[in-house]
Amino acid sequence: MQIPHWLDLTNERITIVTHEFLTPNIQWLPVFSSAAIETFIHRIPNLSNRFLYLNDDIFLGSHLYPEDLYTDSEGTRIFQAWLVPECSQNCPWTYIGDKTCDQNCNISECQYDGGDCTDGDDYVQRRGLLHTIERRGKKSEGTILFRNVRTTTKNIGIKRFWDILHSYNLTRKLDMKTLVDNYNKRLHNQQSKNVPLIPKFANNVRSLQKTSEHFSQSLIYTNMLLNRRYGFKARHVISHVGFLLEKTIIEAMQKKFSQEILTTATHRFRAPNDLQFAFLYYSFLMEETYNETIDNIFDEFDTDHSLTWSDREIRTFLSKIFPLPLDWSAVRFFEGVIQNCSQSPEYKYEDFAHKRHTTVLYERYEDSHLPTVSKVLVKQCLPLVEALQLNFGTRPKYKYKVNSKRNTFNNFMMLSSNVTEVVDALDGIRRNPRKFNCINDNLDPKYEEENELIRHLLEDFYLSLFPHRSQFELDHQYRNRFTNWRDYVKWRWQKQIFYIMIYGLCLVVIVYIGQSIWRQKTKSYL
């Protein structure tokens, strides 16, 4: 491991940790892939649960505050950039899994269009039943209240609640789980035939440098894994900023993608099937969910804590279920369901006498004919339970907020061998230095003279922003004696051994002199 020649190793605030102390397997070293190193950075000793991680090409241009990256009310702030590169020519990720067959996407590199071109029985049935589709994270104009549940009622008779919903022009929510399961089965069959998962770029796509190509391919590879886990969607790459990470979330992410993490960690150099750490981490953060209990969902609508739903609370519930403006037919439909559940043989109100609760009078509308909608009744009403689970049961596991204003926190510059472009870009950062500024080295080694000039321009740029040395830098006239961490550790070990020997020798001399003085005094007394 190299040590910068300007680094003040005597500063107590600096701790150098080598890969030997972090990697789970010493045989994976040496490693030169940042993707592999990122799989174990959270293993740094004494690291706090929440820590800030910056790449070596990023510097701060203005004051950074904790609330810039995290608040207790909103959670982690996420800064997104451009969309993940297309898996194939003329096939953006928005085409995949959109219920329309796109032949350009119907290839293994694009996960066979997410099953859109499949004519399986389950898929055909869903296409015949559904009017609209609610994508994950985006609500459609209507949301399901009840699924197909047979029941009996005096007024309605034996009907399917789904048929009743159709009569009110309501729409049904699409469950992507079956589509994803079908895709996973097809993918497993393809992998058994040795079909590669890593996509190949089309021949007419502009050739990239090897590192950049691996970066793009690993982004696509990571997105495909996310599709398999969370469903098909277009995802954004994370901006070049500092990443506020949590060790507990990293550990949960690595547990879920353990095999892929292991594969990435064993690569000494970048590879197409690397996991992109920041992209995977923030996607995991946004898409992990948990299932809320019916009791807690009921309590959220029970704002007066009466253990019953008043008419006002029911109105709030319906406004979150049905499209607005809320039609009276939706209210009447809910009343029919409640009446049906309260009169069903499965619900015996006298059996729950010790749990009876009464809604206060002023919480009832004058024309209300509803029975007491208690928590017991709601939990016994299976159609209502299913509606609560489908619409409110799945919750984000972690708190986060996507920054709506892109590129307000960061500047990104690709350092090329074009002197004019470099000067203009550096002046742009001078004019508006943001909290995070990234200058990525993309110099062409063929232009040695221009590159040398650009290095001087870059040094002048940094000195214009940071004219004074930091507390972690040595004075200009000093340099580190060692540029390699092993040599430095060896020197420190030898130095400690030398000091121990000197101190030991001094101790022996002192003891010898003391004994000599004691003997002389003893002889004089005799």
Side-chain angles (χ1 to χ4, degrees):
M1 176 180 173
Q2 293 180 337
I3 303 175
H5 67 271
W6 47 263
L7 184 64
D8 184 4
L9 297 175
T10 62
N11 192 299
E12 296 180 353
R13 298 182 62 187
I14 292 179
T15 302
I16 297 179
V17 184
T18 61
H19 297 161
E20 289 85 350
F21 294 98
L22 304 181
T23 179
N25 191 334
I26 198 68
Q27 296 180 353
W28 297 345
L29 301 180
V31 58
F32 307 96
S33 170
S34 59
I37 296 172
E38 287 169 337
T39 62
F40 51 73
I41 58 172
H42 64 288
R43 296 164 59 93
I44 295 176
N46 302 320
L47 186 65
S48 62
N49 180 54
R50 189 177 292 127
F51 62 95
L52 182 63
Y53 167 54
L54 291 87
N55 291 121
D56 57 356
D57 54 2
I58 291 180
F59 66 90
L60 300 180
S62 62
H63 291 91
L64 184 66
Y65 304 97
E67 56 268 23
D68 292 331
L69 302 175
Y70 181 90
T71 60
D72 290 334
S73 60
E74 296 179 340
T76 303
R77 297 191 67 180
I78 301 177
F79 302 89
Q80 295 180 333
W82 32 276
L83 287 171
V84 174
E86 297 178 1
C87 55
S88 180
Q89 186 182 16
N90 299 323
C91 181
W93 291 104
T94 52
Y95 285 13
I96 299 176
D98 64 347
K99 310 309 297 175
T100 301
C101 180
D102 304 286
Q103 292 300 329
N104 291 329
C105 305
N106 192 25
I107 54 177
S108 61
E109 290 84 356
C110 296
Q111 300 177 292
Y112 296 102
D113 202 16
D116 291 343
C117 298
T118 303
D119 294 329
D121 294 337
D122 181 77
Y123 177 75
V124 173
Q125 290 177 5
R126 291 177 181 273
R127 291 195 64 181
L129 287 174
L130 302 181
H131 293 287
T132 58
I133 297 173
E134 179 182 350
R135 298 179 185 274
R136 185 181 182 89
K138 179 181 179 182
K139 287 190 175 182
S140 63
E141 295 181 354
T143 311
I144 181 174
L145 177 58
F146 300 105
R147 276 180 150 180
N148 299 345
V149 179
R150 290 186 179 273
T151 185
T152 59
T153 178
K154 292 181 179 180
N155 300 324
I156 300 177
I158 301 177
K159 289 187 177 181
R160 289 183 179 272
F161 279 112
W162 176 240
D163 299 333
I164 302 175
L165 287 176
H166 272 298
S167 65
Y168 289 110
N169 295 323
L170 302 177
T171 55
R172 182 177 180 180
K173 179 180 179 180
L174 174 64
D175 181 11
M176 294 292 292
K177 183 178 183 302
T178 304
L179 291 178
V180 175
D181 291 342
N182 291 340
Y183 157 73
N184 288 335
K185 293 178 181 177
R186 292 193 299 273
L187 183 64
H188 177 74
N189 294 334
Q190 291 295 329
Q191 289 179 333
S192 63
K193 298 177 182 178
N194 296 324
V195 176
L197 177 64
I198 305 171
K200 300 178 181 179
F201 287 102
N203 295 330
N204 57 345
V205 177
R206 183 176 59 88
S207 60
L208 303 173
Q209 293 183 354
K210 186 174 182 179
T211 301
S212 300
E213 182 178 346
H214 284 171
F215 177 77
S216 299
Q217 288 182 324
S218 61
L219 278 175
I220 298 174
Y221 172 74
T222 305
N223 194 53
M224 293 172 70
L225 294 175
L226 291 169
N227 283 343
R228 293 167 57 184
R229 176 70 64 174
Y230 301 111
F232 302 96
K233 64 182 297 186
R235 296 179 176 87
H236 288 82
V237 180
I238 305 302
S239 299
H240 290 75
V241 297
F243 305 129
L244 187 66
L245 309 175
E246 291 189 33
K247 291 198 295 185
T248 53
I249 299 179
I250 294 175
E251 291 167 357
M253 177 192 72
Q254 292 193 344
K255 184 178 181 180
K256 179 154 289 190
F257 298 93
S258 57
Q259 185 58 48
E260 294 81 8
I261 290 289
L262 178 62
T263 301
T264 301
T266 57
H267 293 159
R268 283 191 167 87
F269 301 94
R270 286 189 178 183
N273 60 337
D274 282 335
L275 288 178
Q276 282 301 316
F277 182 80
F279 175 55
L280 177 65
Y281 175 87
Y282 285 105
S283 297
F284 175 85
L285 178 73
M286 290 186 288
E287 301 188 47
E288 272 292 288
T289 59
Y290 73 97
N291 295 324
E292 188 59 274
T293 63
I294 297 299
D295 293 82
N296 290 339
I297 298 174
F298 180 92
D299 293 339
E300 290 176 356
F301 289 100
D302 183 21
T303 55
D304 60 0
H305 309 294
S306 63
L307 299 181
T308 65
W309 278 0
S310 67
D311 289 10
R312 294 188 177 95
E313 293 165 347
I314 292 173
R315 182 80 181 188
T316 302
F317 166 72
L318 295 177
S319 66
K320 294 179 180 293
I321 289 289
F322 293 98
L324 300 178
L326 192 61
D327 190 84
W328 183 246
S329 59
V331 179
R332 298 297 301 171
F333 172 69
F334 176 81
E335 291 179 354
V337 173
I338 290 297
Q339 293 286 355
N340 172 61
C341 289
S342 64
Q343 299 172 11
S344 64
E346 291 81 5
Y347 178 74
K348 296 181 180 180
Y349 194 74
E350 61 271 17
D351 293 342
F352 303 95
H354 63 288
K355 297 183 179 179
R356 290 181 183 177
H357 301 280
T358 304
T359 305
V360 294
L361 183 61
Y362 62 82
E363 288 289 345
R364 286 293 188 196
Y365 295 142
E366 292 184 1
D367 57 348
S368 176
H369 301 288
L370 286 174
T372 301
V373 185
S374 64
K375 182 182 294 187
V376 176
L377 174 58
V378 170
K379 293 176 66 175
Q380 290 292 319
C381 187
L382 296 182
L384 188 54
V385 167
E386 190 173 37
L388 291 173
Q389 290 175 337
L390 287 174
N391 293 283
F392 310 105
T394 303
R395 305 289 180 87
K397 188 174 183 179
Y398 306 104
K399 292 195 298 184
Y400 66 91
K401 180 178 178 58
V402 178
N403 187 34
S404 58
K405 297 181 179 180
R406 297 180 182 175
N407 300 325
T408 57
F409 262 48
N410 71 305
N411 284 315
F412 178 78
M413 171 188 173
M414 187 66 75
L415 193 67
S416 66
S417 297
N418 189 311
V419 178
T420 303
E421 291 181 356
V422 170
V423 171
D424 292 342
L426 293 178
D427 286 342
I429 299 179
R430 280 191 177 96
R431 182 172 182 171
N432 184 23
R434 292 171 176 165
K435 293 183 183 293
F436 299 102
N437 303 271
C438 178
I439 300 181
N440 198 278
D441 187 0
N442 195 33
L443 295 176
D444 191 337
K446 294 186 298 184
Y447 303 99
E448 297 182 0
E449 184 176 349
E450 289 82 353
N451 293 344
E452 184 65 24
L453 175 59
I454 288 173
R455 292 188 182 94
H456 288 292
L457 291 173
L458 192 62
E459 181 180 6
D460 177 75
F461 165 78
Y462 283 127
L463 288 175
S464 66
L465 294 181
F466 311 105
H468 305 290
R469 68 180 183 89
S470 72
Q471 59 179 305
F472 308 110
E473 294 181 79
L474 295 169
D475 289 329
H476 297 299
Q477 64 270 26
Y478 295 109
R479 292 290 185 273
N480 277 329
R481 179 179 178 183
F482 304 100
T483 58
N484 185 277
W485 174 252
R486 292 182 181 274
D487 295 339
Y488 175 69
V489 172
K490 182 179 179 180
W491 174 78
R492 287 183 56 183
W493 179 77
Q494 293 175 345
K495 184 179 179 180
Q496 291 176 354
I497 295 297
F498 176 76
Y499 284 148
I500 291 173
M501 293 176 62
I502 293 297
Y503 292 148
L505 181 61
C506 292
L507 181 62
V508 170
V509 172
I510 293 173
V511 171
Y512 177 77
I513 294 175
Q515 290 178 346
S516 300
I517 295 175
W518 175 260
R519 291 193 188 98
Q520 291 179 358
K521 287 183 178 181
T522 303
K523 290 180 180 180
S524 63
Y525 285 125
L526 295 176

